[in-house]
Amino acid sequence: MAPDQRHRTPAAVVCGLGGFLPPQVITNDDLGRVLDTSDTWIRSRTGILRRHRAEPGTATSDLAVEAGRRALKSAGRDGEDAVDAVIVATTTPDRICPATAPAVAWRLGLGTVPAFDVGAVCSGFLYALVTARSLLASGAARSVLVIGAETYSAILDPGDRSTLAIFGDGAGAVVVRAGTPDEPGAIGPAVLASDGSGSDLISVPSGGSRDPFRAATGDRADPYFRMQGKQVFRQAVERMSECSRQVAERSGWPVEEVDVLVAHQANLRILQAVADRIGMPRERCHVHLDRVGNTAAASIPLALADAAGEVLRPGHRVVLTAFGGGLTWGAIALTWPDVSPA
Ligand code: UT7
């Protein structure tokens, strides 16, 4: 792209941020009382101490609306014209059909804006953010509300300790607006990728068109979330390291000059391995999973909202990275804006 053309193409600038966690907290000891697991195992194998769980009857849109409202407030926007589009990244939509985003947009009072879901499991928020950037770059929108929201408690097998110990419910959101590439908050280089040969490693086997419930009889139907943890672990480290390095390099930032790495909060050992692999001090990798577990598509915006209140300062060089079902992965580089979560 010619420099003059690049100048005319609007950049996506983060201008609002918010997170919401349902009030109920489940500790490792709570899980140990109903499953064959322990605080010692969960803490040492994952770094997770507790997670939040939505009450029965609370759906993903309920969490998304709360996070969205906070992000809009943080951006100082309200009313029907607050944003031009809404994207919800989720693995746990309210229903298979329709998408969750239109109901969220309507409940937020955003009029008849375009609203749609993005499904890329734990990478969903990064996919949604890059999609929002494209809407801004093309001129189709001047501002977009991007939400990552999940109610994993609705799809976890109540008898599966390997997933129940890890996943939590929650939602996080950002508002991005059209701006210039050199202002703080501007989203810089991004990488998105997938490898469908690993689509069975993370899945909900039944209930989709491959194995509809009406055809899946008796024992064969499996409506729960399944993950081959060990195989996913290795790939998560490799892929997030690789694409984090790529976006830092494309930004012209030596890895040692990246101030904060906000990686998908899957497992503390994964975060540490990524930091080690790319040559970044572990303390620059923000850790939020100890308090919320793995919240899939909500993980990065929730971690950002947490980090913004703690370690992120305007002008910081930030790399976001995620890996998840699909398989999908990605990374985005941005400079941190002067924005506080509401
Ligand atoms: O978010 C999308 C991407 N997801 C990820 O990146 C997740 C990546 N994977 C992981 O984080 C880890 O693989 C897990 C935390 C899921 C599992 O840890 P692990 O060290 O890989 O354990 P494992 O699956 O190899 O299981 C080791 C043992 C097994 O027992 P046996 O077969 O050796 O007797 C499991 O049954 O640990 C057992 N186990 C547990 N024990 C107590 C698995 N979960 C638990 C548990 N409590 N909660």
Side-chain angles (χ1 to χ4, degrees), residues 16-21 50 52 67 70 74 125 171-174 260-263 265 271 283-293 295 298-313 316 318 320 336 339-342:
L17 175 66
F20 177 75
L21 294 161
R50 54 185 188 268
H52 289 248
R70 290 172 191 207
S74 153
F125 183 76
V174 300
V260 185
L261 178 70
V262 179
Q265 304 284 304
L271 300 187
E283 55 278 12
R284 288 204 205 149
C285 183
H286 189 66
V287 177
H288 186 220
L289 58 81
D290 50 336
R291 291 153 284 156
V292 298
T295 57
S299 150
I300 287 187
L302 275 172
L304 278 176
D306 184 65
E310 286 184 21
V311 293
L312 283 173
R313 301 277 172 267
H316 266 166
V318 180
L320 314 178
W336 194 246
V339 63
S340 303

Short mmCIF file of all heavy atoms in Angstrom, two decimals, residues 16-21 50 52 67 70 74 125 171-174 260-263 265 271 283-293 295 298-313 316 318 320 336 339-342:
data_model
loop_
_atom_site.label_atom_id
_atom_site.label_comp_id
_atom_site.label_asym_id
_atom_site.label_seq_id
_atom_site.Cartn_x
_atom_site.Cartn_y
_atom_site.Cartn_z
N GLY A 16 -12.58 2.38 24.48
CA GLY A 16 -13.43 2.02 25.61
C GLY A 16 -13.19 0.57 25.99
O GLY A 16 -12.82 -0.24 25.12
N LEU A 17 -13.38 0.25 27.27
CA LEU A 17 -13.03 -1.09 27.76
C LEU A 17 -13.90 -1.44 28.96
O LEU A 17 -14.11 -0.58 29.84
CB LEU A 17 -11.55 -1.06 28.17
CG LEU A 17 -10.92 -2.26 28.83
CD1 LEU A 17 -10.85 -3.43 27.85
CD2 LEU A 17 -9.50 -1.91 29.29
N GLY A 18 -14.39 -2.65 29.00
CA GLY A 18 -15.18 -3.05 30.17
C GLY A 18 -15.22 -4.56 30.31
O GLY A 18 -15.07 -5.30 29.33
N GLY A 19 -15.39 -5.03 31.53
CA GLY A 19 -15.50 -6.46 31.79
C GLY A 19 -16.60 -6.73 32.78
O GLY A 19 -16.96 -5.86 33.57
N PHE A 20 -17.15 -7.93 32.71
CA PHE A 20 -18.18 -8.32 33.68
C PHE A 20 -18.03 -9.79 34.03
O PHE A 20 -17.89 -10.64 33.15
CB PHE A 20 -19.58 -8.08 33.11
CG PHE A 20 -20.66 -8.53 34.06
CD1 PHE A 20 -20.97 -7.78 35.19
CD2 PHE A 20 -21.33 -9.73 33.85
CE1 PHE A 20 -21.94 -8.21 36.09
CE2 PHE A 20 -22.31 -10.16 34.74
CZ PHE A 20 -22.61 -9.40 35.87
N LEU A 21 -18.06 -10.06 35.33
CA LEU A 21 -18.01 -11.44 35.81
C LEU A 21 -19.26 -11.72 36.63
O LEU A 21 -19.63 -10.90 37.49
CB LEU A 21 -16.77 -11.64 36.70
CG LEU A 21 -15.43 -11.51 35.97
CD1 LEU A 21 -14.29 -11.27 36.94
CD2 LEU A 21 -15.18 -12.78 35.14
N ARG A 50 -9.62 -19.90 41.31
CA ARG A 50 -11.08 -19.83 41.34
C ARG A 50 -11.59 -19.38 39.98
O ARG A 50 -10.81 -18.92 39.15
CB ARG A 50 -11.56 -18.89 42.44
CG ARG A 50 -10.98 -17.49 42.37
CD ARG A 50 -11.42 -16.67 43.57
NE ARG A 50 -11.03 -15.28 43.44
CZ ARG A 50 -9.90 -14.76 43.90
NH1 ARG A 50 -9.04 -15.55 44.53
NH2 ARG A 50 -9.61 -13.49 43.73
N HIS A 52 -15.54 -17.84 37.97
CA HIS A 52 -16.91 -17.36 38.19
C HIS A 52 -17.88 -18.24 37.39
O HIS A 52 -17.53 -18.73 36.32
CB HIS A 52 -17.05 -15.91 37.75
CG HIS A 52 -16.33 -14.96 38.66
ND1 HIS A 52 -16.96 -14.06 39.46
CD2 HIS A 52 -14.99 -14.81 38.92
CE1 HIS A 52 -16.08 -13.37 40.16
NE2 HIS A 52 -14.87 -13.80 39.84
N ALA A 67 -20.99 -6.32 29.97
CA ALA A 67 -19.65 -5.90 29.54
C ALA A 67 -19.73 -4.80 28.49
O ALA A 67 -18.97 -3.83 28.51
CB ALA A 67 -18.88 -7.10 28.99
N ARG A 70 -20.51 -1.42 29.99
CA ARG A 70 -19.33 -0.84 30.65
C ARG A 70 -18.34 -0.27 29.63
O ARG A 70 -17.75 0.78 29.84
CB ARG A 70 -18.67 -1.88 31.54
CG ARG A 70 -19.54 -2.21 32.74
CD ARG A 70 -19.02 -3.37 33.54
NE ARG A 70 -20.04 -3.77 34.51
CZ ARG A 70 -19.79 -4.36 35.66
NH1 ARG A 70 -18.57 -4.67 35.99
NH2 ARG A 70 -20.78 -4.68 36.48
N SER A 74 -17.14 3.53 29.36
CA SER A 74 -15.72 3.87 29.37
C SER A 74 -15.35 4.74 28.16
O SER A 74 -14.50 5.63 28.25
CB SER A 74 -14.89 2.58 29.40
OG SER A 74 -13.64 2.73 28.83
N PHE A 125 -12.08 -13.43 20.15
CA PHE A 125 -12.00 -11.97 20.35
C PHE A 125 -11.02 -11.34 19.37
O PHE A 125 -11.28 -10.27 18.82
CB PHE A 125 -11.62 -11.65 21.80
CG PHE A 125 -11.60 -10.17 22.07
CD1 PHE A 125 -12.79 -9.47 22.23
CD2 PHE A 125 -10.40 -9.47 22.11
CE1 PHE A 125 -12.78 -8.09 22.44
CE2 PHE A 125 -10.38 -8.10 22.33
CZ PHE A 125 -11.58 -7.41 22.49
N ALA A 171 -17.48 -11.98 30.57
CA ALA A 171 -17.52 -11.23 29.30
C ALA A 171 -16.64 -9.99 29.41
O ALA A 171 -16.50 -9.40 30.48
CB ALA A 171 -18.96 -10.81 28.98
N GLY A 172 -16.02 -9.64 28.29
CA GLY A 172 -15.22 -8.42 28.22
C GLY A 172 -15.49 -7.75 26.89
O GLY A 172 -15.93 -8.40 25.94
N ALA A 173 -15.28 -6.44 26.83
CA ALA A 173 -15.62 -5.72 25.60
C ALA A 173 -14.71 -4.51 25.39
O ALA A 173 -14.19 -3.94 26.36
CB ALA A 173 -17.07 -5.23 25.67
N VAL A 174 -14.54 -4.15 24.14
CA VAL A 174 -13.86 -2.89 23.80
C VAL A 174 -14.71 -2.14 22.76
O VAL A 174 -15.48 -2.75 22.02
CB VAL A 174 -12.43 -3.08 23.22
CG1 VAL A 174 -11.51 -3.79 24.20
CG2 VAL A 174 -12.45 -3.79 21.89
N VAL A 260 3.92 -5.31 27.71
CA VAL A 260 2.97 -6.26 28.31
C VAL A 260 2.48 -7.25 27.25
O VAL A 260 2.07 -6.84 26.15
CB VAL A 260 1.74 -5.53 28.93
CG1 VAL A 260 0.84 -6.53 29.66
CG2 VAL A 260 2.16 -4.42 29.88
N LEU A 261 2.53 -8.54 27.60
CA LEU A 261 1.95 -9.57 26.74
C LEU A 261 0.64 -9.99 27.40
O LEU A 261 0.62 -10.41 28.56
CB LEU A 261 2.90 -10.78 26.66
CG LEU A 261 2.41 -11.96 25.83
CD1 LEU A 261 2.39 -11.63 24.34
CD2 LEU A 261 3.27 -13.20 26.08
N VAL A 262 -0.46 -9.82 26.65
CA VAL A 262 -1.76 -10.28 27.17
C VAL A 262 -2.15 -11.48 26.32
O VAL A 262 -2.66 -11.35 25.20
CB VAL A 262 -2.82 -9.17 27.12
CG1 VAL A 262 -4.16 -9.68 27.62
CG2 VAL A 262 -2.36 -7.97 27.95
N ALA A 263 -1.84 -12.66 26.86
CA ALA A 263 -2.10 -13.91 26.13
C ALA A 263 -3.38 -14.54 26.64
O ALA A 263 -3.78 -14.33 27.79
CB ALA A 263 -0.93 -14.87 26.32
N GLN A 265 -5.79 -16.65 28.45
CA GLN A 265 -5.54 -17.17 29.79
C GLN A 265 -5.97 -18.64 29.90
O GLN A 265 -7.01 -18.97 30.48
CB GLN A 265 -6.28 -16.31 30.81
CG GLN A 265 -5.94 -14.83 30.72
CD GLN A 265 -4.58 -14.50 31.32
OE1 GLN A 265 -4.34 -14.79 32.48
NE2 GLN A 265 -3.70 -13.88 30.54
N LEU A 271 1.38 -19.77 29.65
CA LEU A 271 1.82 -18.36 29.62
C LEU A 271 3.32 -18.26 29.88
O LEU A 271 4.05 -17.53 29.19
CB LEU A 271 1.06 -17.53 30.66
CG LEU A 271 -0.47 -17.47 30.55
CD1 LEU A 271 -1.05 -16.47 31.55
CD2 LEU A 271 -0.91 -17.10 29.15
N GLU A 283 7.34 -11.83 34.10
CA GLU A 283 6.48 -10.87 34.80
C GLU A 283 5.82 -9.86 33.85
O GLU A 283 4.88 -9.16 34.24
CB GLU A 283 7.22 -10.16 35.94
CG GLU A 283 8.51 -9.46 35.58
CD GLU A 283 9.72 -10.40 35.51
OE1 GLU A 283 9.55 -11.64 35.52
OE2 GLU A 283 10.86 -9.89 35.43
N ARG A 284 6.25 -9.84 32.58
CA ARG A 284 5.57 -8.94 31.63
C ARG A 284 4.35 -9.60 30.99
O ARG A 284 3.65 -8.99 30.18
CB ARG A 284 6.54 -8.51 30.53
CG ARG A 284 7.55 -7.56 31.07
CD ARG A 284 8.12 -6.68 29.97
NE ARG A 284 9.44 -6.25 30.38
CZ ARG A 284 10.43 -6.01 29.57
NH1 ARG A 284 10.28 -6.15 28.27
NH2 ARG A 284 11.61 -5.63 30.04
N CYS A 285 4.16 -10.86 31.29
CA CYS A 285 3.01 -11.58 30.76
C CYS A 285 1.89 -11.48 31.79
O CYS A 285 2.01 -12.01 32.90
CB CYS A 285 3.43 -13.03 30.52
SG CYS A 285 2.17 -14.02 29.80
N HIS A 286 0.82 -10.77 31.46
CA HIS A 286 -0.20 -10.50 32.48
C HIS A 286 -0.97 -11.78 32.84
O HIS A 286 -1.38 -12.54 31.95
CB HIS A 286 -1.19 -9.44 31.98
CG HIS A 286 -2.12 -9.00 33.06
ND1 HIS A 286 -1.68 -8.31 34.17
CD2 HIS A 286 -3.44 -9.20 33.25
CE1 HIS A 286 -2.70 -8.07 34.97
NE2 HIS A 286 -3.78 -8.61 34.44
N VAL A 287 -1.14 -12.00 34.14
CA VAL A 287 -1.83 -13.20 34.61
C VAL A 287 -3.15 -12.79 35.28
O VAL A 287 -3.16 -12.03 36.24
CB VAL A 287 -0.96 -13.99 35.62
CG1 VAL A 287 -1.74 -15.19 36.16
CG2 VAL A 287 0.33 -14.44 34.95
N HIS A 288 -4.23 -13.31 34.74
CA HIS A 288 -5.57 -13.04 35.28
C HIS A 288 -6.28 -14.36 35.59
O HIS A 288 -7.24 -14.40 36.34
CB HIS A 288 -6.35 -12.23 34.22
CG HIS A 288 -7.69 -11.74 34.68
ND1 HIS A 288 -8.81 -11.74 33.88
CD2 HIS A 288 -8.10 -11.22 35.87
CE1 HIS A 288 -9.84 -11.24 34.55
NE2 HIS A 288 -9.44 -10.92 35.74
N LEU A 289 -5.79 -15.44 34.99
CA LEU A 289 -6.49 -16.73 35.09
C LEU A 289 -6.58 -17.25 36.51
O LEU A 289 -7.47 -18.04 36.82
CB LEU A 289 -5.84 -17.77 34.18
CG LEU A 289 -4.35 -18.12 34.38
CD1 LEU A 289 -4.15 -19.09 35.52
CD2 LEU A 289 -3.80 -18.70 33.10
N ASP A 290 -5.68 -16.82 37.39
CA ASP A 290 -5.75 -17.32 38.77
C ASP A 290 -7.11 -17.00 39.39
O ASP A 290 -7.64 -17.78 40.16
CB ASP A 290 -4.61 -16.72 39.63
CG ASP A 290 -4.51 -15.20 39.52
OD1 ASP A 290 -4.97 -14.63 38.51
OD2 ASP A 290 -4.00 -14.58 40.47
N ARG A 291 -7.72 -15.88 38.98
CA ARG A 291 -8.99 -15.45 39.57
C ARG A 291 -10.22 -15.78 38.73
O ARG A 291 -11.33 -15.70 39.21
CB ARG A 291 -8.95 -13.93 39.83
CG ARG A 291 -7.97 -13.56 40.95
CD ARG A 291 -7.45 -12.16 40.78
NE ARG A 291 -6.43 -12.09 39.74
CZ ARG A 291 -6.13 -10.98 39.07
NH1 ARG A 291 -6.76 -9.87 39.33
NH2 ARG A 291 -5.19 -11.00 38.14
N VAL A 292 -10.03 -16.11 37.46
CA VAL A 292 -11.20 -16.32 36.58
C VAL A 292 -11.15 -17.60 35.75
O VAL A 292 -12.14 -17.95 35.10
CB VAL A 292 -11.40 -15.12 35.60
CG1 VAL A 292 -11.65 -13.84 36.38
CG2 VAL A 292 -10.22 -14.94 34.67
N GLY A 293 -10.03 -18.30 35.76
CA GLY A 293 -9.89 -19.48 34.91
C GLY A 293 -9.81 -19.09 33.44
O GLY A 293 -9.48 -17.95 33.09
N THR A 295 -11.65 -18.23 30.27
CA THR A 295 -12.98 -17.76 29.85
C THR A 295 -13.09 -17.67 28.33
O THR A 295 -13.90 -16.91 27.79
CB THR A 295 -13.31 -16.39 30.49
OG1 THR A 295 -12.30 -15.46 30.13
CG2 THR A 295 -13.41 -16.47 32.01
N ALA A 298 -13.81 -14.59 26.02
CA ALA A 298 -13.84 -13.42 26.91
C ALA A 298 -12.50 -13.18 27.57
O ALA A 298 -12.29 -12.14 28.21
CB ALA A 298 -14.91 -13.62 27.99
N SER A 299 -11.59 -14.13 27.42
CA SER A 299 -10.36 -14.10 28.20
C SER A 299 -9.49 -12.87 27.94
O SER A 299 -9.02 -12.22 28.89
CB SER A 299 -9.62 -15.41 27.88
OG SER A 299 -8.26 -15.33 27.97
N ILE A 300 -9.29 -12.50 26.70
CA ILE A 300 -8.39 -11.36 26.41
C ILE A 300 -9.01 -10.02 26.84
O ILE A 300 -8.35 -9.25 27.54
CB ILE A 300 -7.92 -11.38 24.94
CG1 ILE A 300 -6.91 -12.52 24.81
CG2 ILE A 300 -7.31 -10.03 24.54
CD1 ILE A 300 -6.20 -12.61 23.50
N PRO A 301 -10.27 -9.71 26.49
CA PRO A 301 -10.79 -8.42 26.97
C PRO A 301 -10.90 -8.36 28.49
O PRO A 301 -10.69 -7.29 29.08
CB PRO A 301 -12.15 -8.29 26.28
CG PRO A 301 -12.52 -9.67 25.86
CD PRO A 301 -11.23 -10.37 25.57
N LEU A 302 -11.20 -9.51 29.14
CA LEU A 302 -11.23 -9.50 30.61
C LEU A 302 -9.83 -9.27 31.18
O LEU A 302 -9.65 -8.51 32.13
CB LEU A 302 -11.79 -10.82 31.15
CG LEU A 302 -13.31 -10.94 31.24
CD1 LEU A 302 -13.72 -12.36 31.60
CD2 LEU A 302 -13.86 -9.96 32.27
N ALA A 303 -8.84 -9.90 30.57
CA ALA A 303 -7.45 -9.71 31.04
C ALA A 303 -7.00 -8.27 30.80
O ALA A 303 -6.29 -7.68 31.62
CB ALA A 303 -6.51 -10.69 30.35
N LEU A 304 -7.45 -7.68 29.67
CA LEU A 304 -7.11 -6.28 29.39
C LEU A 304 -7.73 -5.36 30.43
O LEU A 304 -7.08 -4.43 30.93
CB LEU A 304 -7.60 -5.88 28.00
CG LEU A 304 -6.74 -6.26 26.81
CD1 LEU A 304 -7.45 -5.87 25.51
CD2 LEU A 304 -5.36 -5.61 26.88
N ALA A 305 -9.01 -5.61 30.77
CA ALA A 305 -9.68 -4.76 31.76
C ALA A 305 -8.97 -4.88 33.10
O ALA A 305 -8.80 -3.89 33.82
CB ALA A 305 -11.15 -5.15 31.88
N ASP A 306 -8.51 -6.08 33.42
CA ASP A 306 -7.78 -6.28 34.68
C ASP A 306 -6.42 -5.59 34.62
O ASP A 306 -6.03 -4.87 35.55
CB ASP A 306 -7.60 -7.79 34.90
CG ASP A 306 -6.94 -8.09 36.22
OD1 ASP A 306 -7.56 -7.79 37.25
OD2 ASP A 306 -5.80 -8.60 36.23
N ALA A 307 -5.72 -5.76 33.51
CA ALA A 307 -4.38 -5.17 33.37
C ALA A 307 -4.44 -3.65 33.32
O ALA A 307 -3.55 -2.95 33.83
CB ALA A 307 -3.70 -5.71 32.11
N ALA A 308 -5.50 -3.11 32.72
CA ALA A 308 -5.61 -1.65 32.60
C ALA A 308 -5.69 -1.00 33.97
O ALA A 308 -5.21 0.12 34.16
CB ALA A 308 -6.83 -1.28 31.76
N GLY A 309 -6.29 -1.71 34.92
CA GLY A 309 -6.34 -1.16 36.28
C GLY A 309 -5.05 -1.38 37.05
O GLY A 309 -4.90 -0.89 38.17
N GLU A 310 -4.14 -2.17 36.51
CA GLU A 310 -2.93 -2.55 37.26
C GLU A 310 -1.63 -2.12 36.58
O GLU A 310 -0.91 -1.27 37.06
CB GLU A 310 -2.87 -4.08 37.42
CG GLU A 310 -3.85 -4.62 38.43
CD GLU A 310 -3.65 -6.11 38.60
OE1 GLU A 310 -2.55 -6.62 38.27
OE2 GLU A 310 -4.60 -6.77 39.04
N VAL A 311 -1.34 -2.74 35.44
CA VAL A 311 0.01 -2.59 34.87
C VAL A 311 0.08 -1.78 33.58
O VAL A 311 1.14 -1.27 33.24
CB VAL A 311 0.66 -3.97 34.59
CG1 VAL A 311 0.93 -4.70 35.88
CG2 VAL A 311 -0.21 -4.82 33.68
N LEU A 312 -1.04 -1.69 32.86
CA LEU A 312 -0.98 -1.01 31.55
C LEU A 312 -0.95 0.51 31.72
O LEU A 312 -1.75 1.07 32.47
CB LEU A 312 -2.20 -1.39 30.71
CG LEU A 312 -2.17 -2.76 30.05
CD1 LEU A 312 -3.52 -3.05 29.40
CD2 LEU A 312 -1.06 -2.82 29.01
N ARG A 313 -0.04 1.14 31.00
CA ARG A 313 0.06 2.61 31.02
C ARG A 313 -0.06 3.11 29.58
O ARG A 313 0.38 2.42 28.65
CB ARG A 313 1.44 3.03 31.56
CG ARG A 313 1.75 2.54 32.94
CD ARG A 313 1.14 3.43 34.04
NE ARG A 313 1.31 2.81 35.34
CZ ARG A 313 0.42 2.02 35.94
NH1 ARG A 313 -0.73 1.75 35.35
NH2 ARG A 313 0.64 1.48 37.12
N HIS A 316 2.21 2.15 26.37
CA HIS A 316 2.84 0.83 26.46
C HIS A 316 2.70 0.06 25.15
O HIS A 316 1.65 0.13 24.49
CB HIS A 316 2.18 0.01 27.57
CG HIS A 316 2.88 0.11 28.89
ND1 HIS A 316 2.33 -0.31 30.07
CD2 HIS A 316 4.12 0.56 29.21
CE1 HIS A 316 3.17 -0.12 31.06
NE2 HIS A 316 4.28 0.41 30.56
N VAL A 318 1.95 -3.27 23.54
CA VAL A 318 1.21 -4.44 24.01
C VAL A 318 1.06 -5.45 22.87
O VAL A 318 0.79 -5.06 21.73
CB VAL A 318 -0.20 -4.01 24.50
CG1 VAL A 318 -1.01 -5.21 24.99
CG2 VAL A 318 -0.09 -2.95 25.59
N LEU A 320 -1.22 -8.86 22.04
CA LEU A 320 -2.31 -9.77 22.41
C LEU A 320 -2.12 -11.04 21.61
O LEU A 320 -1.81 -10.98 20.41
CB LEU A 320 -3.67 -9.18 22.05
CG LEU A 320 -3.95 -7.71 22.40
CD1 LEU A 320 -5.34 -7.32 21.89
CD2 LEU A 320 -3.83 -7.50 23.90
N TRP A 336 -0.89 1.12 23.96
CA TRP A 336 -2.02 1.24 24.87
C TRP A 336 -2.51 2.69 24.95
O TRP A 336 -1.72 3.62 25.08
CB TRP A 336 -1.65 0.71 26.27
CG TRP A 336 -2.90 0.54 27.08
CD1 TRP A 336 -3.26 1.22 28.19
CD2 TRP A 336 -3.99 -0.34 26.79
NE1 TRP A 336 -4.51 0.82 28.60
CE2 TRP A 336 -4.98 -0.13 27.76
CE3 TRP A 336 -4.23 -1.29 25.77
CZ2 TRP A 336 -6.19 -0.83 27.77
CZ3 TRP A 336 -5.44 -1.98 25.77
CH2 TRP A 336 -6.39 -1.75 26.77
N VAL A 339 -7.09 4.89 28.45
CA VAL A 339 -8.47 4.45 28.62
C VAL A 339 -8.56 3.64 29.91
O VAL A 339 -7.65 2.88 30.23
CB VAL A 339 -8.94 3.65 27.39
CG1 VAL A 339 -8.16 2.38 27.20
CG2 VAL A 339 -10.41 3.30 27.45
N SER A 340 -9.64 3.86 30.65
CA SER A 340 -9.82 3.11 31.90
C SER A 340 -11.09 2.28 31.78
O SER A 340 -12.09 2.76 31.24
CB SER A 340 -9.99 4.05 33.08
OG SER A 340 -8.90 4.90 33.16
N PRO A 341 -11.06 1.06 32.32
CA PRO A 341 -12.27 0.24 32.25
C PRO A 341 -13.36 0.83 33.14
O PRO A 341 -13.06 1.36 34.21
CB PRO A 341 -11.81 -1.12 32.78
CG PRO A 341 -10.56 -0.86 33.53
CD PRO A 341 -9.95 0.39 32.99
N ALA A 342 -14.61 0.75 32.68
CA ALA A 342 -15.72 1.25 33.51
C ALA A 342 -16.27 0.09 34.34
O ALA A 342 -16.12 -1.06 33.97
CB ALA A 342 -16.82 1.81 32.62
#
